[in-house]
Amino acid sequence: MGKLLINSIYYKGEQFIYDNDKLDKGINLLVGDNDNGKSTFTYLIVYGLGLNVTYFKSEGDEPINEIVKDNNNFVQIEIIIDNNTYMLKRNIGHNVITIYDRKNNTHISYSLIRNGYVYKKEEKTFSDWMLEKLGIDIIEITQHSNTHKVNFDDILRYMYYDQVTDNRKIVNEFGLKSTDFYKNSNIMKRSIFEVLMSGFNEEYYSVYYKLKELNKQLQEEKENRKSLEIVKENILKHTQIKNIDNIQEELLLNNSNVERLERIRDEVKKEGSFGIEVSERLRYLQKQVVILTHKIKNIEFDINIVQEDLLKSKRVGEDTKNEIDHIDKILFTSQYIDIISEDKCPFCLEKLDLKVGHCICGSDKHLDFSRFIYSDKEYMEIMKAKIKTLETINETIRDYQNEYQMLENKLENTKSELNDNIAQIKKISEDLTYNSNASAVDEITNKIIYYREKEPELRLLIEKIGEIKNSTRGLNRIEKEITKYKQILTHLEEQKENALQENVDKFEEIYSFYINDFYNNEDEKIEVKLDRNYMPIIGEYKHQSFNVPKRLFYYLTMLKMSLINETKINFPSILIIDTLKDEGIEIERLKKLFNYIEEFRDEDCQIIITSGYDEYTKDLESYLIDWLSDKNKLLKEYKNN
């Protein structure tokens, strides 16, 4: 299971900027009063991780104006997953994240949604990439006729303790629409919990995907056999063969008829006299030779044209792909490139002394610097257009390839037809004598042609019948394998369920300890149980303020379990907490909650938490990564010097 660590966060637009590279393992505390940007800090982090933040949309109910009204703005976070460092950059208002892999020095852009041109580029979403790096298997959940994949933004619901969600609900609902019944459903929440708490059973998933592949093979083989049956039926209709059990005898009889008729034709030829039909046939064949020769030249000419167009399309396609890769890099690195201004040299950055209306080189052709510079938004549009262009080019390449193959086949068939005609001319010329018995020879020849044409159909029929038998044997083999792997998977599922139950029992044990310790229940211990939706059942009434520790301990329990070596779960060992303070909870109890958070200060995990001045104490100073106030708000005005 991979661990996720956030190293830094950077926001920049034309008007505002924020930069913080003080984040590290253990506890990271940001303190500030209301309206200073505490929540915005966590919003920027989760937005950079792919979550939907309605406050960053102008059409939202409560937009953050500093961000919504800013231009060419983006958030960039540096993360570490299993000692590998990645930089994630997301432009505000876009569903694309560009990833810079420091180790491999590569840039690539992934879409957050499974459609659009950017997704088609890699056939993988940002979520797929993130879960793959974290070692969390992509699970599909089926409810009624709908299928949904558990994405990284779903996992993030158990990693981000937000202020928006009602504490009684425990599980984060941040960024979800009320109309999204599926994401808000209990089955979805249960599934996410089980994914996180089940751990990764390599053998289970190996068998699971083997079974999935076998089912795919089964469907493909069924389609293959269906196609073979259709071919067989069409041949039977054409040849009018009713008894396919004697198909080999039918072939032998057909070949015997050919041999018999050829002997008869040879006898007729020996009579030494042919009719006028043979001469007409010879003239016809000679005329066809001329026509076919011209046809071959025309086809070869067309092939050369198509081949040239195909090579041009491939070159254009390769250039376009390189441009897309270049834009991927630009989308990430654009913030490091200073915008060219007309009073500074774009190369040495010294002040320019330009003559009016002249270029840097001294030419009287004035250089318009602005035409070389694009905003991130414009680069994104350019990339989308390039990807669409690449898709069109690839379709064009496929069309040219198909046309090239069709012309090659046509050329081969035409040459074969030409060779056949030349062979016939040669044969007729060798055998031609005086006009006699030509009609009889033609009649016998037509019958020979009929049987010769029937022979490949019979052979094809025999071949297809053999393939159908092989396909049937293949289906039987696959079905037996599916039965075998289903039995294995059932056994492994039982093991997996037992492991999950053990983890649930451990969860209840740790969670119960937190609750009893917080309320000093020494005499009457509270034994917390999880219901079928994995929500805690306390068993007695608690006041409204109890919902804060009740929810926090749920998140802390999952984090603590991820640090126990004997307990293998899929939790990435990180929590992002947006202010624990809530109406009804006393400040002293709120301060007490920090004692449980401090338990993780030296652990191999990360807690990023924001708080107000009231709950902050001097002994938390060592965890400070930023201090916000009315004079030092999160987003600072950006001055481009």
Side-chain angles (χ1 to χ4, degrees):
M1 173 58 213
K3 293 181 182 291
L4 174 63
L5 177 73
I6 297 174
N7 261 356
S8 66
I9 175 173
Y10 179 67
Y11 167 86
K12 181 178 175 294
E14 292 181 2
Q15 300 179 44
F16 294 95
I17 190 170
Y18 179 73
D19 190 7
N20 192 327
D21 59 357
K22 298 177 182 178
L23 286 80
D24 204 346
K25 283 184 181 180
I27 301 168
N28 301 263
L29 176 63
L30 180 142
V31 178
D33 207 352
N34 293 336
D35 296 326
N36 294 155
K38 296 194 305 294
S39 293
T40 303
F41 175 75
T42 63
Y43 296 162
L44 288 171
I45 293 176
V46 296
Y47 192 76
L49 292 172
L51 208 61
N52 176 38
V53 179
T54 57
Y55 303 108
F56 292 175
K57 298 178 180 179
S58 57
E59 66 272 17
D61 294 335
E62 301 174 6
I64 298 174
N65 290 327
E66 289 85 349
I67 290 178
V68 171
K69 293 183 179 180
D70 208 348
N71 296 311
N72 295 321
N73 46 348
F74 63 88
V75 59
Q76 177 180 290
I77 59 175
E78 184 179 78
I79 65 172
I80 297 177
I81 301 177
D82 291 339
N83 298 320
N84 292 318
T85 304
Y86 307 95
M87 197 74 82
L88 312 180
K89 180 187 175 186
R90 182 181 181 186
N91 293 321
I92 304 298
H94 290 273
N95 288 321
V96 174
I97 293 180
T98 302
I99 301 168
Y100 172 57
D101 185 333
R102 285 197 183 279
K103 181 180 179 181
N104 298 314
N105 192 27
T106 57
H107 297 82
I108 193 166
S109 297
Y110 288 112
S111 174
L112 292 172
I113 52 179
R114 296 186 187 277
N115 56 43
Y117 290 104
V118 177
Y119 172 69
K120 289 180 182 178
K121 183 167 68 79
E122 302 296 335
E123 293 296 325
K124 182 189 287 188
T125 64
F126 170 74
S127 171
D128 296 337
W129 178 88
M130 197 72 172
L131 293 178
E132 180 183 312
K133 294 298 180 185
L134 290 171
I136 301 176
D137 217 66
I138 301 174
I139 303 298
E140 293 182 349
I141 303 170
T142 302
Q143 186 179 32
H144 306 304
S145 59
N146 295 322
T147 299
H148 175 79
K149 290 186 177 181
V150 175
N151 292 314
F152 180 69
D153 64 330
D154 298 314
I155 302 295
L156 201 54
R157 296 175 67 179
Y158 285 77
M159 296 158 53
Y160 178 37
Y161 181 111
D162 68 315
Q163 282 195 83
V164 178
T165 305
D166 188 336
N167 284 323
R168 290 172 297 179
K169 294 183 178 181
I170 294 182
V171 180
N172 180 322
E173 294 182 355
F174 185 85
L176 298 184
K177 298 177 182 178
S178 58
T179 55
D180 196 344
F181 301 109
Y182 194 80
K183 285 246 184 187
N184 286 316
S185 67
N186 286 329
I187 188 174
M188 187 64 188
K189 294 175 184 176
R190 286 200 306 271
S191 299
I192 301 169
F193 183 89
E194 289 175 358
V195 167
L196 290 173
M197 297 297 292
S198 294
F200 185 81
N201 186 321
E202 186 175 352
E203 186 180 3
Y204 171 84
Y205 286 108
S206 174
V207 174
Y208 173 83
Y209 283 110
K210 175 67 176 176
L211 190 58
K212 193 172 182 179
E213 178 62 28
L214 285 171
N215 280 308
K216 181 182 177 183
Q217 290 178 18
L218 183 67
Q219 293 305 315
E220 289 175 349
E221 195 57 57
K222 283 182 177 180
E223 290 296 324
N224 179 50
R225 189 174 69 173
K226 184 178 178 181
S227 300
L228 292 171
E229 292 283 358
I230 292 172
V231 173
K232 185 190 78 172
E233 292 302 320
N234 289 336
I235 296 172
L236 287 173
K237 287 178 184 178
H238 187 262
T239 56
Q240 297 180 343
I241 298 173
K242 296 182 179 179
N243 188 3
I244 61 172
D245 295 332
N246 299 322
I247 190 68
Q248 289 288 353
E249 294 180 11
E250 184 78 22
L251 178 60
L252 291 173
L253 179 60
N254 186 83
N255 292 341
S256 176
N257 285 331
V258 172
E259 292 175 2
R260 178 177 59 82
L261 290 169
E262 284 180 340
R263 286 196 301 270
I264 293 172
R265 185 173 64 178
D266 289 341
E267 291 296 324
V268 173
K269 286 181 179 180
K270 289 178 182 178
E271 296 180 7
S273 181
F274 293 85
I276 194 171
E277 292 87 352
V278 176
S279 299
E280 290 178 352
R281 174 66 176 166
L282 185 60
R283 284 194 295 272
Y284 170 78
L285 290 172
Q286 290 171 336
K287 184 178 180 181
Q288 285 299 109
V289 167
V290 175
I291 293 172
L292 291 172
T293 302
H294 283 293
K295 185 177 180 181
I296 287 171
K297 289 183 179 179
N298 290 334
I299 294 172
E300 289 175 341
F301 179 75
D302 291 339
I303 286 176
N304 289 334
I305 293 175
V306 172
Q307 191 175 34
E308 186 177 344
D309 290 340
L310 177 60
L311 291 173
K312 287 180 181 177
S313 298
K314 286 183 176 180
R315 284 197 297 270
V316 173
E318 190 63 31
D319 290 344
T320 305
K321 188 177 184 303
N322 290 336
E323 289 173 2
I324 292 171
D325 292 339
H326 185 60
I327 293 173
D328 266 340
K329 186 173 182 179
I330 289 174
L331 278 171
F332 181 83
T333 58
S334 59
Q335 70 268 26
Y336 301 116
I337 302 173
D338 291 331
I339 296 176
I340 296 174
S341 60
E342 295 197 16
D343 60 344
K344 290 184 180 180
C345 174
F347 305 106
C348 66
L349 300 180
E350 291 296 322
K351 187 175 180 180
L352 289 176
D353 184 14
L354 290 177
K355 294 181 180 179
V356 178
H358 284 65
C359 179
I360 293 175
C361 66
S363 169
D364 59 358
K365 294 180 179 178
H366 179 65
L367 179 63
D368 180 9
F369 297 105
S370 63
R371 64 192 175 100
F372 295 101
I373 302 301
Y374 298 98
S375 67
D376 283 350
K377 183 177 180 181
E378 288 170 326
Y379 273 122
M380 185 63 67
E381 294 302 320
I382 292 171
M383 185 172 73
K384 288 180 180 179
K386 292 288 183 185
I387 293 171
K388 187 173 182 180
T389 300
L390 182 59
E391 186 178 24
T392 303
I393 292 169
N394 287 335
E395 288 177 0
T396 303
I397 290 172
R398 286 192 292 270
D399 289 341
Y400 279 136
Q401 288 172 335
N402 292 335
E403 186 178 358
Y404 182 84
Q405 188 60 51
M406 181 192 71
L407 288 170
E408 281 284 318
N409 294 337
K410 189 176 179 181
L411 179 62
E412 184 179 348
N413 293 335
T414 305
K415 285 182 177 180
S416 177
E417 186 179 353
L418 176 63
N419 292 334
D420 288 343
N421 285 349
I422 292 173
Q424 289 185 51
I425 290 172
K426 185 177 180 181
K427 184 173 178 57
I428 291 173
S429 298
E430 289 174 353
D431 296 340
L432 187 60
T433 55
Y434 296 99
N435 297 336
S436 178
N437 294 328
S439 297
V441 172
D442 285 347
E443 184 179 350
I444 295 170
T445 301
N446 288 336
K447 289 181 180 180
I448 292 173
I449 291 172
Y450 167 75
Y451 286 116
R452 284 200 179 280
E453 288 178 346
K454 189 175 180 181
E455 179 188 357
E457 292 180 337
L458 291 170
R459 291 191 182 279
L460 181 61
L461 183 59
I462 292 171
E463 179 186 332
K464 295 306 171 187
I465 291 173
E467 289 179 5
I468 289 171
K469 289 180 180 178
N470 289 335
S471 178
T472 302
R473 285 193 290 268
L475 284 172
N476 293 334
R477 177 187 57 78
I478 293 172
E479 286 172 346
K480 285 181 181 178
E481 282 196 75
I482 287 175
T483 302
K484 180 183 75 173
Y485 280 103
K486 276 185 176 179
Q487 292 172 348
I488 296 173
L489 191 66
T490 299
H491 177 66
L492 290 172
E493 278 179 341
E494 185 177 343
Q495 291 182 352
K496 193 166 178 285
E497 286 297 321
N498 291 337
L500 173 61
Q501 187 56 52
E502 289 178 6
N503 287 343
V504 170
D505 293 342
K506 187 67 176 177
F507 187 99
E508 291 172 342
E509 177 188 335
I510 296 172
Y511 189 85
S512 297
F513 172 79
Y514 275 135
I515 295 295
N516 285 290
D517 188 69
F518 183 73
Y519 285 100
N520 298 318
N521 292 333
E522 297 179 357
D523 298 329
E524 297 182 10
K525 297 287 185 181
I526 297 175
E527 186 178 1
V528 181
K529 291 293 182 182
L530 300 183
D531 63 17
R532 64 185 301 270
N533 295 319
Y534 303 111
M535 291 293 103
I537 300 174
I538 305 300
E540 63 179 63
Y541 171 77
K542 290 290 182 182
H543 44 81
Q544 185 71 21
S545 63
F546 173 69
N547 290 320
V548 174
K550 178 183 176 183
R551 185 183 182 202
L552 176 65
F553 289 144
Y554 193 91
Y555 283 74
L556 289 181
T557 299
M558 196 167 286
L559 177 62
K560 189 167 186 175
M561 287 188 66
S562 72
L563 302 175
I564 301 174
N565 292 331
E566 298 77 16
T567 306
K568 294 181 179 180
I569 68 171
N570 281 324
F571 195 75
S573 301
I574 182 173
L575 280 183
I576 303 166
I577 303 172
D578 183 13
T579 310
L580 295 173
K581 187 176 181 181
D582 194 14
E583 292 183 9
I585 188 169
E586 300 88 344
I587 294 299
E588 289 306 314
R589 285 193 168 179
L590 197 57
K591 290 179 179 179
K592 186 177 180 180
L593 285 176
F594 272 90
N595 294 331
Y596 297 94
I597 293 173
E598 283 192 273
E599 173 189 347
F600 299 91
R601 62 182 178 274
D602 299 321
E603 296 289 347
D604 186 18
C605 66
Q606 186 178 49
I607 297 178
I608 300 171
I609 182 170
T610 67
S611 82
Y613 299 149
D614 292 339
E615 59 266 38
Y616 174 76
T617 56
K618 190 69 175 176
D619 55 347
L620 298 175
E621 186 176 2
S622 60
Y623 310 130
L624 272 179
I625 58 171
D626 209 346
W627 182 281
L628 305 180
S629 65
D630 291 339
K631 295 182 179 179
N632 182 42
K633 293 193 175 185
L634 185 85
L635 298 178
K636 314 291 192 299
E637 287 191 22
Y638 177 63
K639 297 178 181 179
N640 186 6
N641 297 321

